[in-house]
Amino acid sequence: MHSLFPPLALKLGAFVALSPIELSTLQKFHDRRRSFEPGVDLVRQGQFGKMAYILWEGWVCTYKKLQSGSRQIIDFRIPGDFLGLRSVLFRTSDHNIEAMTKIEVSEVSENDLIGTFSKTPRLATAVLWAASRDEAMVVEHLVSIGRRNAPERTAHFLLELGARLKLVGMGTKKGYSCPLSQNMLADALGMTSIHMNRVLRQLREEGFLTFRNGEVIFDNFKGLVTLADFDTGYLDQDGPLLR
Amino acid sequence: MHSLFPPLALKLGAFVALSPIELSTLQKFHDRRRSFEPGVDLVRQGQFGKMAYILWEGWVCTYKKLQSGSRQIIDFRIPGDFLGLRSVLFRTSDHNIEAMTKIEVSEVSENDLIGTFSKTPRLATAVLWAASRDEAMVVEHLVSIGRRNAPERTAHFLLELGARLKLVGMGTKKGYSCPLSQNMLADALGMTSIHMNRVLRQLREEGFLTFRNGEVIFDNFKGLVTLADFDTGYLDQDGPLLR
DNA sequence: CGTCGGGTTGATAACTTTCAAATTTCGTGG
DNA sequence: CCACGAAATTTGAAAGTTATCAACCCGACG
């Protein structure tokens, strides 16, 4: 499946209809790929390197650590996502990028990016769209942590992840499998793993969703959407293709 | 001052040394400007328009509203900042952009942007840098709300604002003036205005900072930096010019 | 004047963390 | 197939933080 419809093409395809030339450009990136083991840092906070990556396979998380030792997970990245795009232009990386599972990526240099921009402008537009979408997700994440209570933001986060996974063929309306521990989820949602545990229990007991054994099951999708005030608009993947 | 060193040039200059040609391109944008009154929405959540703006003068805030009626302020925008850059490519805007004071902006269309990208690549790189920096700020904001307590994140936020204002010549190490109400600050920091009030009092009484009559005064800069675990790295504006 | 939007304060309730400890899950080697 | 240890999950009780509700103060402004 990945040779014909890699997740990246699926995702970008939700925004621009890709031509054969553009698809083959993507394919070229696909060819020079590397893999990393779980737990490995692709990029470290404060590091000078300037690499970006395209994620083909596996799960990744990006996070920042505070002096106090606590960490905030910015985002979980799934196949089809870019990694480190934002900070290619920075002197030093402001965040960590860590493989959660065994992953497959291709390295993209600053020059590759600039080259893509001048050679295949439509693809460049699609990349910018993807970057904008990433930022929109961070913004919605900010809204969640700032203004939704724990059950609401848990519901919202798991719904969003579901929508993203569905777009690249890794989930359905029923649910999806994901390798997150309660602890990681807590670090993403700005709470304690203990509280996370209680919130998940509450959501389960109230018939909203079940998070167990690396599986998320939406027991009451509509109820969840209402509870979380979930509106997919910011993902910009609802309508048909543009352009 | 603004004709020779507009805030935007000051800001971008922290990243790339701008050539006369690039400066004149900026000047061109400067020429076709508009102004808006306080309280006016430049962009509304769900709106279809696709405009971006450069902010020359005045304060702006961007925010999202929830069904529940509460709002989360994403960021305050100051002279030299772009507005709506992220969502030019989106079908609909995912957030509101509101003038807090009387402001001066220039409209930038999607085509202007694409044009800039092909004609003045260095300027384009600078614009991308600015966009990355904006995202880095949102990320740090997320970290603050997720993992810092109320006094810490208040300190962090006001320090960040200070650093940004200093870059465009609107603040010093001593402090700066800003038109924020406690209520807006609370909406930005994910708390109640009542709690905001108490936190500000605490910071004042403990000799950290004074926020009064639209003036922020750093009474103990070093102490604040420690309290907030403030590291300017993510603003990427510390070192000398690059390139 | 009287109103209105900040700002301020107190009391109480709700939510979340912290600390401490059990219980379960899971991979590994015997 | 079982034992073992490490990691993840679960639970309880107490402490801490923040929100909610209800006033009151005050200066700007028509």
Side-chain angles (χ1 to χ4, degrees):
Chain A
M1 154 203 171
H2 279 180
S3 58
L4 280 178
F5 301 110
L8 179 58
L10 283 176
K11 194 178 80 164
L12 296 184
F15 177 63
V16 270
L18 295 169
S19 73
I21 294 173
E22 287 145 8
L23 279 170
S24 77
T25 304
L26 284 182
Q27 192 65 45
K28 220 170 294 164
F29 284 122
H30 197 186
D31 285 345
R32 47 187 171 87
R33 62 181 183 273
R34 308 176 47 181
S35 63
F36 291 95
E37 293 302 311
V40 170
D41 289 323
L42 281 75
V43 174
R44 285 221 180 82
Q45 226 164 310
Q47 182 183 325
F48 271 82
K50 301 186 167 219
M51 262 331 156
Y53 301 87
I54 298 170
L55 179 59
W56 300 110
E57 184 77 42
W59 288 64
V60 167
C61 74
T62 60
Y63 64 93
K64 288 184 93 156
K65 285 202 101 162
L66 300 189
Q67 212 67 57
S68 66
S70 60
R71 75 168 174 178
Q72 175 66 47
I73 291 181
I74 318 295
D75 193 17
F76 299 111
R77 311 295 286 163
I78 58 174
D81 288 343
F82 291 96
L83 309 175
L85 198 55
R86 150 166 55 96
S87 49
V88 184
L89 298 177
F90 269 38
R91 291 164 176 80
T92 63
S93 172
D94 67 325
H95 62 285
N96 299 279
I97 303 182
E98 179 186 321
M100 294 166 56
T101 66
K102 185 166 168 40
I103 60 169
E104 304 252 329
V105 299
S106 348
E107 253 181 17
V108 180
S109 70
E110 193 184 348
N111 285 339
D112 290 335
L113 268 184
I114 307 289
T116 302
F117 272 70
S118 58
K119 278 174 223 146
T120 50
R122 279 167 57 87
L123 197 51
T125 309
V127 170
L128 280 180
W129 169 79
S132 299
R133 183 172 175 272
D134 285 349
E135 197 185 332
M137 290 194 304
V138 176
V139 165
E140 188 64 32
H141 195 171
L142 176 73
V143 172
S144 262
I145 296 192
R147 288 298 182 211
R148 284 190 254 257
N149 62 27
E152 287 167 7
R153 64 177 185 264
T154 303
H156 193 280
F157 196 78
L158 294 177
L159 281 172
E160 173 188 302
L161 210 41
R164 291 168 61 191
L165 287 164
K166 187 153 154 273
L167 184 64
V168 294
M170 294 174 63
T172 70
K173 206 159 193 168
K174 295 278 180 59
Y176 51 90
S177 64
C178 72
L180 305 181
S181 69
Q182 292 186 2
N183 196 29
M184 304 197 80
L185 206 50
D187 276 349
L189 295 176
M191 55 181 126
T192 303
S193 61
I194 293 168
H195 196 54
M196 187 77 257
N197 181 277
R198 297 193 233 259
V199 168
L200 287 174
R201 167 158 57 116
Q202 186 192 330
L203 288 173
R204 188 183 337 119
E205 286 175 356
E206 289 175 355
F208 283 115
L209 66 80
T210 310
F211 179 96
R212 228 189 242 295
N213 307 331
E215 292 286 327
V216 174
I217 298 157
F218 297 133
D219 299 317
N220 177 0
F221 189 83
K222 241 187 126 181
L224 277 172
V225 169
T226 306
L227 172 68
D229 184 19
F230 183 59
D231 173 353
T232 53
Y234 71 97
L235 293 176
D236 198 47
Q237 64 186 30
D238 279 344
L241 310 187
L242 263 197
R243 267 151 229 268
Chain B
M1 154 202 175
H2 278 180
S3 56
L4 281 178
F5 301 110
L8 179 57
L10 282 176
K11 193 178 80 162
L12 296 185
F15 177 64
V16 271
L18 294 169
S19 72
I21 294 174
E22 286 146 7
L23 280 170
S24 79
T25 304
L26 284 183
Q27 193 63 44
K28 220 171 292 163
F29 285 122
H30 197 185
D31 286 345
R32 46 187 171 85
R33 61 181 184 274
R34 308 175 48 183
S35 64
F36 292 95
E37 293 302 310
V40 170
D41 288 323
L42 280 74
V43 174
R44 285 222 180 82
Q45 227 164 310
Q47 183 183 322
F48 271 82
K50 301 187 169 219
M51 263 329 158
Y53 301 88
I54 297 170
L55 179 59
W56 302 110
E57 185 76 42
W59 288 64
V60 168
C61 74
T62 60
Y63 64 94
K64 289 185 92 155
K65 285 203 100 161
L66 300 189
Q67 212 68 55
S68 67
S70 60
R71 76 168 171 174
Q72 175 66 47
I73 292 182
I74 318 294
D75 194 15
F76 300 112
R77 310 296 285 163
I78 59 174
D81 287 344
F82 290 96
L83 309 176
L85 198 56
R86 150 166 55 95
S87 50
V88 185
L89 298 177
F90 269 38
R91 291 164 176 82
T92 64
S93 171
D94 67 326
H95 62 285
N96 299 280
I97 303 183
E98 180 185 321
M100 294 166 56
T101 66
K102 184 166 170 41
I103 60 169
E104 305 252 329
V105 299
S106 352
E107 253 181 16
V108 181
S109 69
E110 193 184 347
N111 286 339
D112 290 335
L113 268 184
I114 306 289
T116 302
F117 273 68
S118 58
K119 276 174 224 146
T120 50
R122 280 165 57 87
L123 197 51
T125 308
V127 170
L128 280 180
W129 169 79
S132 298
R133 183 171 175 273
D134 286 349
E135 197 187 330
M137 291 194 303
V138 175
V139 165
E140 189 63 31
H141 195 171
L142 175 73
V143 172
S144 261
I145 297 191
R147 288 298 181 210
R148 283 190 254 257
N149 63 26
E152 288 167 5
R153 66 176 183 262
T154 303
H156 193 280
F157 196 79
L158 294 177
L159 281 172
E160 174 187 301
L161 210 43
R164 291 169 60 191
L165 287 164
K166 187 153 154 273
L167 186 63
V168 294
M170 293 173 66
T172 69
K173 206 157 193 169
K174 296 276 179 60
Y176 51 90
S177 65
C178 73
L180 305 181
S181 69
Q182 292 186 0
N183 197 22
M184 304 197 80
L185 206 49
D187 276 349
L189 295 177
M191 55 183 128
T192 303
S193 61
I194 294 168
H195 196 53
M196 187 78 258
N197 181 280
R198 297 195 234 258
V199 167
L200 287 174
R201 168 157 57 112
Q202 186 192 329
L203 288 174
R204 189 183 338 118
E205 286 175 355
E206 289 176 355
F208 284 116
L209 66 81
T210 310
F211 179 95
R212 228 189 242 296
N213 308 329
E215 292 287 328
V216 173
I217 298 157
F218 297 133
D219 299 315
N220 177 359
F221 189 83
K222 243 187 123 181
L224 277 172
V225 169
T226 306
L227 172 68
D229 185 17
F230 182 59
D231 173 354
T232 52
Y234 71 97
L235 294 175
D236 199 46
Q237 64 187 31
D238 280 343
L241 310 187
L242 262 197
R243 266 153 231 272

